[in-house]
């Protein structure tokens, strides 16, 4: 598995982000933004994903846009990512943008290896996902969510549910006892993904720092 590393290789906090080829070009800027916002040492591991719809979808689903259906290959991707988390003395935070944000939430339901999730504009409209969360709580100490304030203002019948789903997700996680921050950003889905992802990771790090990495407090 190919990975790209940024930040401090010896840091105790390791951020793991599935990315596509376009996102890779902005990882240095994203890493610098996280550092500015938190002042914390961290290692950021960017994991390129070959087939976004196949490799990050937790189960098979019909195509929402023009193109291929969702292939349900997330389990294989998670198995690869877990090989990047061998050290019990470090805290691992998984996160990403769009479908990678959804994948990160799902991954945290499958393993207790992650301390927090940073899900920026996650695809929580994915069929059946909120119901899955209800029965399978994420096994983390904190979750950071975000969404653009125009993302739900669309004629697309599936995509326009994203605002309702993100609010439902926050309420559900809080009811499950998981501290969950939700940030609303200006603009639609494609505005400033690099900055939004940096904010989500920074928020997750701050939540964990609130109590020395042992328990995260809500913000």
């Amino acid at each position: 598995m190919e990975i790209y590393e940024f930040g401090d290789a010896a840091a105790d906090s390791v951020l793991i982000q599935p990315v596509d080829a376009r996102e890779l070009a902005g990882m240095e800027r994203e890493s610098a933004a996280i550092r500015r916002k938190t002042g914390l040492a961290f290692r950021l591991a960017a994991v390129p994903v070959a087939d976004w719809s196949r490799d990050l979808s937790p189960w098979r689903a019909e195509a929402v846009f023009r193109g291929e259906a969702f292939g349900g290959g997330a389990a294989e991707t998670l198995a690869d990512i877990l090989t990047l988390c061998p050290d019990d003395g470090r805290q691992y935070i998984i996160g990403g943008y769009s479908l990678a944000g959804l994948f990160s939430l799902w991954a945290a339901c499958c393993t207790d290896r992650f301390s927090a999730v940073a899900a920026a504009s996650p695809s929580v409209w994915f069929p059946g996902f909120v119901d899955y969360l209800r029965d399978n709580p994420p096994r983390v100490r904190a979750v950071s969510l975000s969404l653009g304030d125009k993302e739900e203002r669309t004629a697309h019948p599936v995509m326009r549910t994203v605002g309702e789903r993100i609010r439902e997700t926050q309420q559900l996680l809080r009811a499950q006892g998981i501290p969950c921050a939700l940030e609303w950003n200006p603009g639609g889905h494609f505005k400033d993904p690099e900055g939004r992802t940096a904010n989500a990771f920074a928020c997750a790090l701050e939540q964990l720092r609130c109590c020395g990495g042992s328990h995260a407090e809500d913000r």
Side-chain angles (χ1 to χ4, degrees):
M1 176 177 52
E2 185 178 22
I3 65 170
Y4 294 81
E5 297 188 56
F6 307 86
D8 183 354
D12 290 334
S13 296
V14 181
L15 318 181
I16 300 175
Q17 180 181 346
V19 298
D20 63 15
R22 293 170 296 179
E23 289 176 298
L24 273 177
M27 296 306 298
E28 286 281 8
R29 293 188 297 274
E30 180 182 318
S31 178
I34 298 169
R35 190 176 302 110
R36 285 195 305 272
K37 291 174 182 296
T38 66
L40 297 174
F42 61 87
R43 171 190 170 209
L44 173 58
V47 181
V49 175
D51 187 324
W52 199 253
S53 294
R54 181 194 67 202
D55 296 339
L56 296 179
S57 52
W59 48 81
R60 293 181 181 273
E62 295 293 328
V64 173
F65 309 103
R66 295 178 182 176
E68 296 181 4
F70 296 100
E76 294 178 15
T77 303
L78 176 57
D80 287 340
I81 284 176
L82 287 174
T83 66
L84 305 177
C85 311
D87 191 344
D88 290 338
R90 291 180 169 181
Q91 64 178 12
Y92 297 94
I93 301 172
I94 189 165
Y97 196 81
S98 192
L99 193 59
L102 177 90
F103 167 84
S104 299
L105 285 167
W106 169 84
C109 301
C110 301
T111 176
D112 61 2
R113 200 54 172 158
F114 306 113
S115 297
V117 173
S121 290
S123 304
V124 288
W125 47 260
F126 193 85
F129 185 71
V130 174
D131 289 336
Y132 176 85
L133 276 182
R134 186 172 290 108
D135 296 330
N136 302 274
R139 298 153 68 181
V140 293
R141 298 196 298 270
V143 173
S144 171
L145 302 174
S146 71
L147 198 71
D149 59 10
K150 294 182 180 179
E151 292 194 52
E152 61 187 330
R153 302 177 193 174
T154 174
H156 194 288
V158 175
M159 292 300 297
R160 70 183 177 212
T161 68
V162 69
E164 181 180 354
R165 296 286 86 79
I166 200 81
R167 296 180 184 92
E168 188 177 0
T169 295
Q170 184 191 35
Q171 293 170 2
L172 176 60
L173 294 178
R174 286 178 167 177
Q176 292 170 338
I178 303 168
C180 180
L182 172 57
E183 178 181 14
W184 290 91
N185 298 297
H189 185 69
F190 297 102
K191 183 176 180 180
D192 193 23
E194 178 185 298
R196 292 183 188 180
T197 307
N199 287 346
F201 273 122
C203 178
L205 283 165
E206 290 289 352
Q207 286 177 296
L208 293 175
R209 183 166 66 169
C210 281
C211 39
S214 58
H215 298 85
E217 295 179 359
D218 203 356
R219 290 168 47 135

